[in-house]
C-alpha cells in the first residue's frame, strides 16, 4: 500500500514524499524515523517551534501526525 508523508522542517519548509509499505504499522515506524532524521538536521527555529511528520493513506486521508515541539522557558 502507498503512504504519503508531509514533513515540516526546522525552518518551516514543507517536503512531501510517498513510499510503499505492507501495512500502517511499518508506515508509522517510518514516520517516526523521518521525524528523528529531521531533528538530527537541526532543531526548529522561530517562529515555527516544531518539527512534524504527517502520515496519509493512499487516498491521502490522514492517519497520524507526529510532532517534536521546542519550548524555550526563560529563567530571567
Amino acid at each position: 500500500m502507498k503512504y504519503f508523508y508531509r514533513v515540516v522542517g526546522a525552518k518551516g519548509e514543507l517536503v512531501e514524499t510517498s513510499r510503499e509499505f505492507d501495512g500502517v504499522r511499518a508506515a508509522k515506524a517510518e514516520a517516526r524515523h523521518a521525524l528523528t532524521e529531521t531533528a538530527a538536521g537541526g532543531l526548529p527555529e522561530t517562529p515555527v517551534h516544531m518539527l512534524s511528520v504527517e502520515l496519509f493513506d493512499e487516498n491521502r486521508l490522514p492517519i497520524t501526525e507526529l510532532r517534536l515541539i521546542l519550548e524555550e522557558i526563560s529563567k530571567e
Side-chain angles (χ1 to χ4, degrees), residues 4 24 27-28 31 53-57 61-66:
F4 294 88
V24 70
K28 284 182 177 181
V53 177
E54 286 184 89
L55 175 62
F56 301 88
D57 69 11
L61 295 173
I63 296 173
T64 193
E65 180 178 2
L66 304 171

Side-chain angles (χ1 to χ4, degrees), residues 8-75:
V8 177
K11 296 179 182 174
E13 68 278 11
L14 183 70
V15 176
E16 293 188 2
T17 189
S18 65
R19 298 233 354 238
E20 295 275 341
F21 291 99
D22 290 334
V24 70
R25 177 176 253 172
K28 284 182 177 181
E30 179 59 26
R32 288 180 173 275
H33 179 73
L35 185 60
T36 301
E37 290 295 312
T38 302
L43 292 175
E45 298 178 5
T46 302
V48 178
H49 300 295
M50 74 165 200
L51 306 173
S52 73
V53 177
E54 286 184 89
L55 175 62
F56 301 88
D57 69 11
E58 64 186 353
N59 297 311
R60 294 199 179 250
L61 295 173
I63 296 173
T64 193
E65 180 178 2
L66 304 171
R67 290 183 179 176
L68 177 64
I69 298 171
L70 179 64
E71 184 176 11
E72 181 178 336
I73 301 168
S74 178
K75 300 294 184 172

